[in-house]
């Protein structure tokens, strides 16, 4: 069976979409005829002209509300939110300063909450919408020097399930993706080569951002009738040499 996701006439907001999985998702959505809008603190170096980029810090609630209003004024609707913006500092709990802890939760958790608050009134009014948030295998497994990131990703699972229950009557779906180990700027910064990267390569394998796109397009599409679910993308099958 062929996958033919059609995004014609739809508007997707991707936070953290200047890089990695978010950028791949925005590109895929635009390729399928949709309007992809990215909020990111980073410039749009890897994005082509089809994708609309706004410099927005998702931890700033007022900035998020203002930017979402601008998107709604311009496009009239936001059909879907892929909330990918995140940071992953490496530090021991004992030595962690307050700013690192607060900033990690402010971006990874608060940022998702502010974006959901901003897009939901329009989705609820239209009785249609799909929101996807990202958790991480570290939410369950944990890892030394990753407590703040792992805690934020664990909290997102609970947040998404609760929000899904709140908005189900309005036909708005909220689901969580575990993308697996994916080669992105964040992954490279958090897993330096010379040990960790090689560990992942030898165990789970390291996927590309494009490997996650199918899961996201599925969750955004009306083929995905579930809400409050978690979709885990584990290791991929080995690519055949061409
Ligand atoms: N790559 C992996 O192996 C992996 C594994 C599990 C979960 N995830 C999750 O997938 C999502 C996408 O991550 P990725 O690997 O593509 O990372 P990435 O670094 O490529 O993308 C994250 C983006 O978030 C942006 N960002 C950071 N702070 C921001 C802020 N305050 N406001 C707006 N944008 C901000 C960055 O500029 C960057 O473009 C993240 O939520 C990440 O935690 C990734």
């Amino acid at each position: 069976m062929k996958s033919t996701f059609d995004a014609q006439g739809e508007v997707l907001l991707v936070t953290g979409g200047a890089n990695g999985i978010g950028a791949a998702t925005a590109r895929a959505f635009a390729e399928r005829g949709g309007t992809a809008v990215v909020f990111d603190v980073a410039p749009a170096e890897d994005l082509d002209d089809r994708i609309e980029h706004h410099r927005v810090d998702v931890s700033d609630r007022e900035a998020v509300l203002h930017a979402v209003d601008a998107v709604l004024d311009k496009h009239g609707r936001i059909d879907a939110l892929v909330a990918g913006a995140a940071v992953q500092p490496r530090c021991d709990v004992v030595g962690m300063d307050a700013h690192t802890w607060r900033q990690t939760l402010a971006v990874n958790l608060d940022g998702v909450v502010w974006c959901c608050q901003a897009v939901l009134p329009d989705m609820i009014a239209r009785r249609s919408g799909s929101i996807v948030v990202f958790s991480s295998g570290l939410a369950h497994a944990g890892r030394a020097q990753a407590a703040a990131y792992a805690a934020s990703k664990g909290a997102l699972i609970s947040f998404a399930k609760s929000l899904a229950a709140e908005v189900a009557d309005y036909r708005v779906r909220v689901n969580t993706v575990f993308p697996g180990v994916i080669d992105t700027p964040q992954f490279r910064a958090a897993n330096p080569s010379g040990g960790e990267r090689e560990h992942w390569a030898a165990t789970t394998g390291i996927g590309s951002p494009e490997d996650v796109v199918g899961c996201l397009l599925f969750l955004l599409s009306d083929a995905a009738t579930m809400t409050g679910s978690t979709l885990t993308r584990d290791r991929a099958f080995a690519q055949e040499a061409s």
Side-chain angles (χ1 to χ4, degrees):
M1 187 177 65
K2 304 278 187 291
S3 53
T4 53
F5 299 116
D6 180 3
Q8 295 279 347
E10 300 208 350
V11 180
L12 166 67
L13 173 59
V14 186
T15 72
N19 291 291
I21 299 167
T25 307
R27 277 194 294 272
F29 198 81
E31 278 162 14
R32 286 161 176 79
T35 300
V37 180
V38 161
F39 287 180
D40 205 303
V41 287
E45 284 160 0
D46 287 342
L47 301 177
D48 61 44
D49 296 346
R50 289 172 306 179
I51 295 162
E52 186 177 316
H53 176 267
H54 297 239
R55 286 293 270 271
V56 181
D57 177 349
V58 295
S59 69
D60 181 341
R61 185 171 184 267
E62 292 308 311
V64 167
L65 292 171
H66 187 262
V68 165
D69 276 350
V71 174
L72 288 170
D73 280 350
K74 181 172 178 184
H75 298 291
R77 57 195 291 149
I78 295 176
D79 298 281
L81 166 67
V82 170
V87 292
Q88 190 175 355
R90 284 178 63 103
C91 56
D92 297 332
V93 172
V94 170
M96 183 166 58
D97 59 38
H99 174 75
T100 301
W101 174 256
R102 290 275 163 236
Q103 183 64 11
T104 307
L105 293 180
V107 175
N108 298 9
L109 183 57
D110 300 3
V112 173
V113 178
W114 307 151
C115 290
C116 290
Q117 284 189 325
V119 300
L120 274 168
D122 169 65
M123 292 180 176
I124 287 170
R126 289 187 297 100
R127 300 183 70 82
S128 171
S130 175
I131 295 174
V132 180
V133 309
F134 290 86
S135 190
S136 160
L138 298 189
H140 294 309
R143 193 175 82 179
Q145 299 191 314
Y149 176 79
S152 71
K153 293 297 180 179
L156 279 175
I157 303 168
S158 318
F159 171 76
K161 281 195 180 291
S162 300
L163 180 60
E166 267 183 40
V167 297
D169 286 349
Y170 304 103
R171 307 190 63 77
V172 178
R173 296 177 295 103
V174 187
N175 292 294
T176 304
V177 162
F178 289 71
V181 178
I182 303 298
D183 187 12
T184 65
Q186 185 180 118
F187 170 76
R188 272 173 252 143
N191 297 274
S193 66
E196 292 174 13
R197 229 178 281 176
E198 291 73 9
H199 162 76
W200 291 117
T203 52
T204 62
I206 302 174
S208 73
E210 287 70 25
D211 290 337
V212 190
V213 165
C215 297
L216 292 164
L217 292 179
F218 164 66
L219 287 175
L220 298 182
S221 78
D222 54 15
T225 54
M226 72 269 232
T227 190
S229 298
T230 55
L231 195 160
T232 303
R233 183 198 159 275
D234 286 317
R235 64 181 306 158
F237 54 83
Q239 300 291 317
E240 283 177 29
S242 53

